[in-house]
Amino acid sequence: MDKYQALYEGQPVCCNCVHCHQHYARRKKRYILVYGGHCTFPRTKLRRPDQACGYWSKTEPEPVSEG
């Protein structure tokens, strides 16, 4: 979970959508989160983490492996 997902947890916004892909920037050999990304349904379009649209679909939590 990134900082935008934690900030907007439980809300139907892009950062919590299965179709949203967060963008990152490389800075001094590290990747940092940027305030933007893109949606891939039904076509690719730029989105901010706090935006929402009619195609929103809840992101399922990633399973944690034990062992």
Side-chain angles (χ1 to χ4, degrees), residues 37-55:
H38 67 273
C39 177
T40 58
F41 188 82
R43 58 180 173 64
T44 302
K45 53 207 167 287
L46 294 176
R47 292 283 187 235
R48 292 187 322 266
D50 62 344
Q51 287 182 304
C53 70
Y55 301 111

Side-chain angles (χ1 to χ4, degrees), residues 4-26:
Y4 297 122
Q5 288 176 324
L7 182 63
Y8 296 106
E9 187 174 6
Q11 297 180 34
V13 292
C14 288
C15 65
N16 295 323
C17 180
V18 70
H19 307 295
C20 183
H21 299 276
Q22 180 67 46
H23 288 185
Y24 295 85
R26 188 171 178 180

